[in-house]
């Protein structure tokens, strides 16, 4: 069945994300919170995470482009991103944020610029896989709805 | 009605603007009792089995996850985006059976909010939450008046453990 093949593809993708360190056990906690009464919970949280992350990365880029960097503002944004990535299970993004905060504490501009690039790299890598994951989930849902009808 | 119930119900100051006096004044004991009898909003669960929990957390995703975690439990969750909103809730007369307090928040952080809540006479258990589990953070929070310190993100098992430990009945909704 097509739905079975899609589910296998989805499981394979998610497993590879765990294996690569993109996701940690917190993502499994989110998956466990998804059920019949909340079928779109993971998609909701992932979508929210991506929207929030992109807003934060845009602000961070602006702040780091300033001649005089306001490290307290930078740190506040990185703190937010660290918090949300932790809640979603976005392990590599979270770890990159931890490193970024250390550079903020040191008022190290060069370190912060490098750290921001790492955060962006890890985020966009994760986002791409999340997009594929949500597309697969959506297709599976469509098949299952069709079968029920 | 016990004295703690009366103490925790602080009528809003606007209530006194409509009284016979035109100046703001602290509530008389009679006024407090009247307010508690007639204003149910913010009452702790007296006679109700549904416990009220306040989550003080600035990051929306974290609130969404905790909201989902408690949705299956017999708990009413209220949310505040920062410590100042939480303190304002208490000043408005709202009461809770448990408060989860994040550490780092804009406007007013969790440490300051905890200190202010304790100075207002709030005895509700406060569980500090933080992504960093540094001993110094834990000590600061406990010194400020928190009852316990918990690492984020909060799992369902940990949430149930905490709610049970502080006497909140966890029958499923």
């Amino acid at each position: 069945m097509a739905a079975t093949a899609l589910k296998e593809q989805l499981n394979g993708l998610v497993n590879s994300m765990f294996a690569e360190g993109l996701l940690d056990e917190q993502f499994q906690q989110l998956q466990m919170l998804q059920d019949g009464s909340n079928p779109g919970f993971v998609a909701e949280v992932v979508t929210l995470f991506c929207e929030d992350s992109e807003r934060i990365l845009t602000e961070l880029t602006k702040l780091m482009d300033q001649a005089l960097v306001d490290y307290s503002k930078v740190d506040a944004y990185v703190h937010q991103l660290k918090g949300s990535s932790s809640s979603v299970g976005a392990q590599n993004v979270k770890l990159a944020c931890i490193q970024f905060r250390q550079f903020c504490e040191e008022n190290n501009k060069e370190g912060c610029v490098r750290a921001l690039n790492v955060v962006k790299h890890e985020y966009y890598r994760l986002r791409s896989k999340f997009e594929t994951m949500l597309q697969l989930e959506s297709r599976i849902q469509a098949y299952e709805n069709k079968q029920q009808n | 009605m016990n004295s703690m119930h009366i103490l925790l119900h602080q009528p809003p100051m606007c209530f006194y603007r409509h009284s016979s006096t035109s100046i703001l004044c602290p509530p008389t004991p009679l006024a407090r009792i009247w307010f508690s009898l007639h204003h149910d909003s913010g009452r702790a669960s007296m006679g109700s089995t549904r416990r009220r929990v306040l989550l003080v957390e600035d990051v929306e995703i974290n609130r969404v996850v905790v909201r989902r975690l408690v949705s299956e439990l017999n708990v009413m969750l209220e949310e505040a985006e920062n410590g100042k909103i939480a303190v304002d809730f208490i000043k408005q007369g709202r009461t809770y059976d448990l408060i989860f307090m994040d550490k780092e928040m804009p406007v007013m952080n969790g440490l300051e909010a905890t200190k202010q809540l304790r100075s207002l006479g709030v005895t509700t258990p406060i569980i500090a939450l933080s992504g960093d589990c540094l001993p110094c953070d834990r000590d600061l929070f406990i010194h400020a008046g928190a009852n316990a310190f918990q690492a984020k993100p909060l799992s369902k098992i940990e949430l149930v453990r905490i709610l049970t430990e502080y006497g909140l009945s966890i029958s499923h909704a």
Side-chain angles (χ1 to χ4, degrees), chain A residues 24-64:
Chain A
D24 62 26
E25 65 274 6
Q26 177 62 19
F27 189 77
Q28 287 173 325
Q29 294 281 330
L30 298 186
Q31 288 178 306
M32 290 195 302
L33 291 174
Q34 179 160 297
D35 57 21
S37 62
N38 288 274
F41 179 69
V42 171
E44 179 193 349
V45 174
V46 164
T47 303
L48 196 55
F49 168 71
C50 290
E51 287 171 357
D52 210 39
S53 298
E54 290 182 31
R55 175 186 63 82
I56 290 171
L57 290 174
T58 300
E59 293 302 321
L60 283 172
T61 304
K62 283 185 205 168
L63 286 169
M64 292 311 303

Side-chain angles (χ1 to χ4, degrees), chain A residues 33 35 38 79 82 87 101, chain B residues 61-62 68 72 104 132 153:
Chain A
L33 291 174
D35 57 21
N38 288 274
H79 156 71
K82 176 179 163 265
S87 278
R101 292 195 84 186
Chain B
I61 290 175
N62 295 352
R68 177 69 187 95
E72 294 171 353
E104 290 186 59
D132 312 309

